Every structure is written in C-alpha cells, then in structure tokens.
Amino acid sequence: MRVEVLLFGPAGAAVNSDRVAVEVAECEPGVCTVREALQALQAQHPALRSAIGTIERARLAVNHQYASAETKIRPGDEVALIALVGGG
Amino acid sequence: MPGTVVSIIVDGPLTPEALAEALLPHRADLERVHATGNVGATLRFDGIVRRMERDTKMSGEERALSHLEYQTYDPMAERELRSLAASVCDRFGLLSIIALHSRGLVAVGEVSFVLEVASAHRAEAIEAMPAFIDRLKQDVPIWKRAVWDDSPPATRVKR
C-alpha cells in the first residue's frame, strides 16, 4: 500500500520536501504497521536515514498521536515523521 | 485540587505585548491562584534567541544568526505542549504552570519560549523547570531552523 509521510525540520530539509510517499507491505489487506512504514522509509529514502536514526528510536505520529511500532496505519490516516525535535 | 495549566503557541516573538494578549483569556484563572495565598514561589524562564550558533553544515563552527524560524506540527504541537504542562504540573504538585512557545520567525535577542511556574515551596518550582524543558525538546513537535546573518558584524542590529 502507498503511505504518504509528512516531514518537518531536518527531515524535510534532507529531501527538500514536506512529504514523501512509500510503498509498504501490507500486514493485512489495506493495513500496515508503523514498524513496516519506518523500514520502508529507510529503504526507499536513504536521504532520510540520519533524520530517522534507528528504527527503535524513530517515531511516527498517526493522526496526531505518537504511535507504537505495532500501531496500524489505514488508508486516510495522517502519518508524520517526528524526528529530532528541538524547540525552546 | 489540580493546578492551573496554560499552554499556548504564539505566532512570532513573545514580546510583553504578545504575552499579555495571549494570556488575557486566562488572567482571571491565574489571578485566582495567587489570591489563595498558597503561592510561596514563582519561577520564570525565558528562552532567548542568541546571536552565535553552531552551524552543523560547516563543521560545527560558530556563525552569526539573524533569526530562528520555528516550525510546529499543528495541532499536535499544541496538544503535546498542553499534555506536557499538565503532566509536569501534576508530578510536581504545582499551583500553576504557563508554557508559551513561538511559531515562525524570532529574531536574535527576542524571546521564543516562556515557562512560568507557581508552587507552595521553592523546591518543586525549581525541579519542575528542567523536567519540563528536557521533555519539551524530546516530545513536542517543534523544530527550529537557523536563518544566518551574513552581513558584516559592524552593521548588525544590536538588541
């Protein structure tokens, strides 16, 4: 399935865009997990690797909530890479 | 009784005027906290954009800034800021906590972050400050981008 991931800060700067699309293997019809989406991001967008860091420490938000690795992503969900925040 | 929690993301620098305007809807609640006579300590932290910053794209050498530009992921940033403020308020037993953060451009010398806490005793106010700021930098989806000042040093505006 195709998942669009919103990017911010250094991640957006790394690919010069506010979003990227990834093709992710489905764990069930029309559904994938956050872990699979992160792995696909790393594999399909090497420029994002330093912003993502390790899969264990990387975070995706799904519909504006921090998501665990096992959280399911469904069509229409808003997915964002929350990497290397640094306000203040 | 839970403490009073105020958290706001404000466009632009946190000038005294911007702070007053943002806090206006909460003034009565905040005044009530102080009117109880239970407040024994208040502490305020202002985060200010400083001139010199390390440029990671230039081997980490220091370079002059013009502005920082803060990007927020809305509305998640506002919700995470509020959730963090409420959790620190609860954990340290604060009577009130006010957290404001800028969005957009903030020039050198201007304030981009304000944290003010009130508590019965000094210890909880002092301990709450670093606890909040450490988690702000981990959990609240706000990013800053350096806007460099490439003008000659003698012509830079002093603030």
Side-chain angles (χ1 to χ4, degrees), chain B residues 39-109:
Chain B
V39 175
T42 62
L43 210 50
R44 173 170 157 161
F45 173 89
D46 284 7
I48 301 169
V49 177
R50 68 173 169 271
R51 169 75 65 194
M52 302 307 288
E53 192 68 65
R54 291 190 188 285
D55 184 353
T56 53
K57 291 179 185 157
M58 294 181 69
S59 320
E61 73 182 53
E62 285 212 319
R63 202 173 156 195
L65 272 180
S66 163
H67 295 76
L68 284 177
E69 183 173 30
Y70 291 94
Q71 181 185 26
T72 60
Y73 178 34
D74 301 318
M76 186 177 174
E78 283 179 323
R79 208 179 45 230
E80 288 294 323
L81 189 65
R82 177 158 190 91
S83 161
L84 171 57
S87 121
V88 167
C89 190
D90 185 50
R91 178 179 160 199
F92 293 94
L94 302 176
L95 298 172
S96 69
I97 182 166
I98 304 169
L100 297 105
H101 202 295
S102 290
R103 176 198 293 118
L105 285 171
V106 182
V108 167

Side-chain angles (χ1 to χ4, degrees), chain A residues 26-50:
Chain A
E26 296 175 356
C27 63
E28 56 189 85
V31 177
C32 68
T33 65
V34 161
R35 183 193 311 281
E36 289 158 349
L38 281 168
Q39 287 167 344
L41 262 180
Q42 280 202 324
Q44 294 169 37
H45 297 279
L48 287 175
R49 280 181 192 161
S50 66

Side-chain angles (χ1 to χ4, degrees), chain A residues 6-10 59 61 63-66 78 80-88, chain B residues 70-76 79-80 101 112-113 136-144:
Chain A
L6 302 179
L7 305 174
F8 303 89
R59 286 187 296 182
N63 298 327
H64 296 264
Q65 302 271 8
Y66 282 117
E78 183 169 309
L81 175 63
I82 311 291
L84 300 171
V85 301
Chain B
Y70 291 94
Q71 181 185 26
T72 60
Y73 178 34
D74 301 318
M76 186 177 174
R79 208 179 45 230
E80 288 294 323
H101 202 295
S112 62
F113 171 62
L136 170 80
K137 289 175 175 290
Q138 290 171 16
D139 292 340
V140 182
I142 300 177
W143 296 265
K144 56 187 174 191

Side-chain angles (χ1 to χ4, degrees), chain B residues 23-38:
Chain B
L23 292 175
L24 190 60
H26 309 280
R27 201 160 62 188
D29 288 342
L30 294 167
E31 283 173 357
R32 249 193 305 276
V33 171
H34 286 266
T36 61
N38 294 332

